[in-house]
Amino acid sequence: YMLYNDCLLGQFDSTVRAGDAVKYAECAEKLKCLEDNPEYGYVFKTLSRLCKLLSVKFDIGIRTRKDYEGKDKSALKLLLSDYEQLIVFTDEFYTAFKEQWEIENKPNGFEVQDIRIGGLRLRIQHCKERIENFVCGEISAIEELEEPILDFEVGGEKHNISPICFNNWGSSASVDL
């Protein structure tokens, strides 16, 4: 669920615990060792790239908000390299996922992933630009970061601070006509 968590709006940021992102970095390294498997290496490559992406993305919203609320423009400027890295990792995940899809599925249906992952990448780029504009003084505030983070499950200021199970998927095929 954190893959699609918005970097500035942070709908799931209330569930982030310290150290969660590090666990994804560790998983990425473990999975990378399995990429040479002749039969299933492509699956481990996809999972490794996803974990690598999440090792940066999982808490980037929390770190961004902390630096913004502390009015620390120099820290925000340094954080821009994480956003750039996140874009690269998103591209790497997309490529690995596309390769896996082409091995396991017909091409039909991947257009949904193009839209989802492409939209994710574009949103990360936009968030990076918003931070750049703030750091450079082109804008005086990042409006998205002016709003408080609310607990996803119960609303309000109370924070869950634990992982959740969230998969809100639907398609037009499930709509009664």
Side-chain angles (χ1 to χ4, degrees), residues 157-174:
E157 296 292 330
K158 176 185 171 277
H159 284 198
N160 181 23
I161 312 294
S162 64
I164 61 171
C165 181
F166 184 78
N167 185 9
N168 188 9
W169 181 86
S171 78
S172 58
S174 65

Side-chain angles (χ1 to χ4, degrees), residues 98-162:
K98 183 172 61 118
E99 290 170 4
Q100 179 177 342
W101 185 282
E102 290 169 353
I103 292 169
E104 297 178 344
N105 303 289
K106 291 182 177 184
N108 305 27
F110 196 77
E111 72 280 359
V112 173
Q113 304 310 322
D114 283 336
I115 293 165
R116 287 180 179 169
I117 300 169
L120 172 67
R121 185 192 191 284
L122 192 57
R123 180 59 184 162
I124 294 166
Q125 177 66 41
H126 185 234
C127 291
K128 178 180 173 274
E129 291 168 2
R130 299 276 294 145
I131 295 166
E132 286 172 334
N133 292 341
F134 176 73
V135 168
C136 294
E138 292 178 26
I139 58 175
S140 61
I142 302 174
E143 296 294 327
E144 300 92 331
L145 297 175
E146 294 290 327
E147 300 294 328
I149 292 295
L150 303 176
D151 185 282
F152 176 74
E153 291 186 311
V154 297
E157 296 292 330
K158 176 185 171 277
H159 284 198
N160 181 23
I161 312 294
S162 64

Side-chain angles (χ1 to χ4, degrees), residues 31-142:
L31 290 163
K32 189 169 178 54
C33 297
L34 302 169
E35 291 179 20
D36 293 331
N37 179 293
E39 195 170 354
Y40 298 109
Y42 70 95
V43 175
F44 296 115
K45 181 178 180 180
T46 301
L47 293 172
S48 173
R49 297 309 183 277
L50 176 60
C51 287
K52 192 170 153 184
L53 188 165
L54 288 172
S55 73
V56 177
K57 186 156 192 312
F58 202 87
D59 66 354
I60 200 164
I62 299 290
R63 294 183 290 132
T64 302
R65 185 172 293 274
K66 177 181 167 270
D67 293 344
Y68 178 79
E69 288 175 348
K71 301 184 184 345
D72 191 344
K73 286 189 176 184
S74 60
L76 284 169
K77 189 173 183 178
L78 290 173
L79 197 56
L80 291 171
S81 65
D82 285 355
Y83 278 87
E84 193 60 45
Q85 188 178 48
L86 192 52
I87 292 167
V88 170
F89 290 169
T90 302
D91 290 344
E92 290 176 359
F93 168 67
Y94 171 82
T95 300
F97 186 51
K98 183 172 61 118
E99 290 170 4
Q100 179 177 342
W101 185 282
E102 290 169 353
I103 292 169
E104 297 178 344
N105 303 289
K106 291 182 177 184
N108 305 27
F110 196 77
E111 72 280 359
V112 173
Q113 304 310 322
D114 283 336
I115 293 165
R116 287 180 179 169
I117 300 169
L120 172 67
R121 185 192 191 284
L122 192 57
R123 180 59 184 162
I124 294 166
Q125 177 66 41
H126 185 234
C127 291
K128 178 180 173 274
E129 291 168 2
R130 299 276 294 145
I131 295 166
E132 286 172 334
N133 292 341
F134 176 73
V135 168
C136 294
E138 292 178 26
I139 58 175
S140 61
I142 302 174

